[in-house]
Structures are given as C-alpha cells and as structure tokens.
Amino acid sequence: MNHAAPRRSDATRAAILSAARERFAADGYERATIRSIAADARIDPAMVMRYFGTKAGLFAAAATLDLQLPDPAAIPRDCAGTAIAAHFLERWENDEALAAMLRGAATNDYAAAEARRVFTDQVRPMVAGLCPNPEEATIRAALIDSQLLGIALNRYLLRLPPIAALSRAEIAAWIGPTIQRYLTGPLPSDDSEPFTTPPQAAPDPAS
Amino acid sequence: MNHAAPRRSDATRAAILSAARERFAADGYERATIRSIAADARIDPAMVMRYFGTKAGLFAAAATLDLQLPDPAAIPRDCAGTAIAAHFLERWENDEALAAMLRGAATNDYAAAEARRVFTDQVRPMVAGLCPNPEEATIRAALIDSQLLGIALNRYLLRLPPIAALSRAEIAAWIGPTIQRYLTGPLPSDDSEPFTTPPQAAPDPAS
DNA sequence: GTCTATAATTCGATAGAC
DNA sequence: GTCTATCGAATTATAGAC
C-alpha cells in the first residue's frame, strides 16, 4: 500500500531541505541560520519552524545520509580497496549531506552522534561482509573510516591544495591499497617498540 | 638580546590562553564564548578584550601550534612511518591547541587557513627531508596529513568507540605502514580502471 | 498555509569610573 | 590595570492576524 500522500507542501519542504543542506555544508551548524536558509529557499523563516519545529530538527532532516555502500558480495575481495575509495569520493561530491554532517559533527553533539551511527549502521556492516571475524571487522572498518574521512576533511573542508588538486581517480589509486590492507591485510605485530624521536624544538612557554 | 620584559600581567595572559585553548578545543570557535573563557580563567570578560582585542585575536593567540616534528635526518628512513604516527598521537594528547585548531577549522576560516599553514610550514618540510623530489614530497605529505587527521578526527573529536578504545601504540602499529608507504612507497600505477560498483539502494527522493 | 511582529536571550564589543 | 554597566546586533522561537 503506497500511502505516499502527496501533500501540496512537499515542494516547499524539499526546497527548505535543499537550502538547509547547502548552508549546513558551507557554514556548519552554528553559523547556518534559519534566516539564511529561508532566504535561500525564498521562503518565510517562520515556515521553517512550522515544518521542522527547531533548528536541530531541521538539521536532523537535512543531514540524513545514505552512503549507498555496495553489497559486499558484489565486490571482488582483492580490488575492494580502490572500489570503496572511488565510491566514497563519488558519493561525497554528489550529496551535500556528507559535508553538512562532517562540518556539523565538529561542534554539534547530535551531528557527531549521527556520524557515529553512520559508521555503525553502514560502514561496519559492509566491512563485516568482507571480513569474517566480527571484532577484527570493527577495528578494520574504523581504520578505513579514518582514512576516508581524513581525505574528505583535507579535500572538501580544509581544501588543502595538494589534495584538492588531485583527481578522484588519483586519490583512489593512492589510498586504495591502504584501504585494501586495512580490509584484508595481516594484523600488526606488537613485538617491536616504536622508534621514538627527540623533539626538534622545545615548546614555547606561553607566548 | 633577550628582551623578554616580564610584565606583571603575564600570569593573567597565560591563564586566559589556557582557558581559551580548553574552551575552543571542547566547544569549537562559535560556541566558545568570551564570557565562558573568562569565567574559567576567573577573570573579568573585559580583560580578555583588553589583552587580545577581538575573539579572533584570542583564537589566533591560543591556537598557535607547534607540532615539534623531529628532524628528518634523525629518523631511520625505514621506520619513519610508525615513528611519525606515534609522535603525532603523543603531541595531540599533550597540547589542546591541536583539538582547538581542528575543531575550529571546520567552521572558522582563519582556523582553516592556519591548519593549511601548519601543513605547509611543518608537515611538508619534514616529509621533504625524507623524499628528494619536491613535487612528490608535497603529495606524499598531504596523504600522510590526511591519514593522521582522519585518525585524530575519529579518536578525539567524534570519539568513535573502536578508534578511541585502541592504545596509541596499537594505532601507530596499524597506520605506521600506511604512512611509510605514502612516504617511501612506489607511485600508484594509473593504468587500470578502478572497479566500479552498482549502488546498493536508490536514493530516497527528498524524504 | 503564509506572513508580521515581537518576545526572550545571548553575544561581542565599548565607554568610563575607580 | 580592573571592573561595572551597557550598547547594538543577531539569534531562535512564539503568538496571532489574515
């Protein structure tokens, strides 16, 4: 029973959500104001409150994200690393909800919790489909998550020139083997002490 | 000529800076208020303005960071990866300016520019000391930066449980080989098309 | 459903007494 | 140097006319 009762206000809701995603992605949670979002959507600010109740409610509705991760069974286990990297980069550039979520997560507790939930509900299950041991899968998934988010942080949020200048394929080629190793490589041996280095300079005492 | 004229107000300045680092690290730039920082330092809010002029000026003074990266010449080139990872994690846990900078960079333009400057002035030169080709060194440094920041993001900002639960040595053992490969590994071959995957589910049309 | 008006806070920044 | 008082602006959110 498809009860998708098409209200007349659905277009308005969609316009608000689209504008909200843009603003949250560009400015972060605090600096993106209800007023600016409403202005972008060419809608009265009071309508935003009417539809979504609070600013937090609007963020929750706008920053819901689906990574659309591929079915693990459909990926050859040996080229999964590069495939996952390429898929992630493609998704990022076609869904502003990712930037909204990451920028928001830096300062907003709800967004941070939601980012953790994306890991638990989407990233980890996919990795678990490629790694039999559940405990290992959790750690391996978290490491993959770290590498992917680190690239996204530098490329899309900080816009660090060397990373921003590379093509998606080049990045995927670089980090693909990393993800592959986190996915299927051997556990690190914990026998050797890490080589420690003397700091180059003493800390500046409270400039 | 050491003209470090010790004013009597240096203790006050230091107290403000310490409180500011904590607040900026915990709350981000926007949510950390002059009033809350002054309260933490048990100092009148007007004094903060007197010493640092503006909120941005306070952030600039508080979030200045020195990674104290080791001299490249002092590191054996083959164990540099794990050593760099361990050093970075140690620095992070002993200087709140790093968290202040990263959290601020998500929403504040000055902080983002400063984060890029840390890369250019500190990370890249160290990598250049271990990699002869300058162009390669820049890309390799940016990839290393991405892996390190991705870990920091998940561990210290998002507090993703699987990453937060690991010890520093365990993380260094996992990501050390990654950094080592970015540092001294071969350039990726660009001959093969990445394996593309069909998305698992269709995007939800504007829920 | 849509919009005007405004309440209730909170913030950064300033002026000026002491 | 220190603190009180406050300005002016911006925010989320609500009340209510139409």
Side-chain angles (χ1 to χ4, degrees):
Chain A
M1 183 169 65
N2 184 359
H3 53 50
R7 308 176 193 169
R8 191 155 29 265
S9 57
D10 280 352
T12 302
R13 279 183 65 96
I16 295 173
L17 285 175
S18 176
R21 264 187 290 268
E22 275 189 46
R23 281 286 180 177
F24 282 131
D27 299 338
Y29 182 80
E30 285 82 13
R31 300 187 55 181
T33 65
I34 301 276
R35 284 167 157 83
S36 66
I37 292 168
D40 288 352
R42 317 192 66 161
I43 282 173
D44 192 277
M47 297 304 298
V48 179
M49 303 303 295
R50 179 176 176 83
Y51 279 110
F52 299 98
T54 66
K55 183 179 179 180
L58 173 60
F59 181 86
T64 297
L65 60 90
D66 179 4
L67 289 177
Q68 301 176 24
L69 292 175
D71 182 357
I75 322 174
R77 197 161 180 272
D78 291 337
C79 32
T82 305
I84 289 172
H87 177 86
F88 175 78
L89 292 167
E90 189 273 338
R91 284 296 299 148
W92 192 284
E93 295 183 8
N94 288 295
D95 188 352
E96 281 171 323
L98 284 111
M101 177 76 71
L102 184 54
R103 222 185 273 272
T107 54
N108 182 267
D109 286 341
Y110 170 82
E114 192 65 11
R116 289 190 293 266
R117 210 178 61 78
V118 169
F119 169 80
T120 302
D121 293 351
Q122 300 184 42
V123 179
R124 193 174 64 179
M126 188 208 59
V127 173
L130 293 164
C131 173
N133 184 319
E135 293 178 20
E136 271 189 40
T138 298
I139 294 179
R140 291 175 185 275
L143 291 163
I144 292 169
D145 190 85
S146 297
Q147 174 63 95
L148 293 175
L149 283 188
I151 289 288
L153 179 68
N154 268 334
R155 183 174 174 87
Y156 303 111
L157 265 55
L158 302 186
R159 299 191 185 282
L160 191 73
I163 292 290
L166 294 176
S167 70
R168 282 188 289 176
E170 286 172 320
I171 292 180
W174 268 110
I175 70 173
T178 295
I179 295 169
Q180 187 68 44
R181 184 173 68 81
Y182 291 156
L183 199 58
T184 61
L187 299 177
S189 61
D190 53 349
D191 52 355
S192 65
E193 282 292 310
F195 176 83
T196 59
T197 60
Q200 190 175 23
D204 212 17
S207 81
Chain B
M1 183 167 64
N2 184 0
H3 52 51
R7 309 176 193 168
R8 192 156 26 266
S9 57
D10 279 351
T12 301
R13 279 183 66 95
I16 294 173
L17 286 175
S18 176
R21 263 187 291 269
E22 275 189 46
R23 281 286 180 177
F24 283 130
D27 299 339
Y29 182 80
E30 284 83 11
R31 300 187 55 183
T33 65
I34 301 276
R35 285 168 158 84
S36 66
I37 291 168
D40 287 352
R42 317 193 66 160
I43 282 174
D44 192 278
M47 297 304 298
V48 179
M49 304 303 295
R50 178 175 176 85
Y51 280 111
F52 299 98
T54 65
K55 183 179 178 179
L58 173 61
F59 182 86
T64 297
L65 59 90
D66 178 4
L67 290 177
Q68 302 176 24
L69 293 175
D71 182 358
I75 322 175
R77 198 162 180 273
D78 292 336
C79 34
T82 305
I84 289 171
H87 177 85
F88 175 78
L89 293 167
E90 189 273 338
R91 284 296 299 147
W92 192 285
E93 295 183 7
N94 288 295
D95 188 352
E96 280 172 322
L98 283 105
M101 178 75 71
L102 184 54
R103 222 184 273 270
T107 54
N108 183 266
D109 286 341
Y110 170 82
E114 192 66 11
R116 289 190 293 267
R117 211 179 60 77
V118 170
F119 169 81
T120 302
D121 293 350
Q122 299 183 43
V123 179
R124 192 173 64 179
M126 188 207 59
V127 172
L130 293 164
C131 173
N133 184 320
E135 293 179 20
E136 270 190 39
T138 298
I139 294 180
R140 291 175 184 275
L143 290 163
I144 292 169
D145 190 85
S146 296
Q147 175 63 95
L148 292 175
L149 283 188
I151 289 288
L153 179 67
N154 268 332
R155 182 175 174 87
Y156 302 111
L157 265 55
L158 300 186
R159 299 193 186 283
L160 191 73
I163 292 290
L166 294 176
S167 70
R168 281 188 291 178
E170 286 172 320
I171 293 180
W174 267 110
I175 71 173
T178 295
I179 295 169
Q180 186 70 43
R181 184 174 68 83
Y182 291 153
L183 199 59
T184 62
L187 299 178
S189 61
D190 54 349
D191 53 355
S192 65
E193 282 292 309
F195 176 83
T196 58
T197 59
Q200 191 176 21
D204 211 18
S207 80

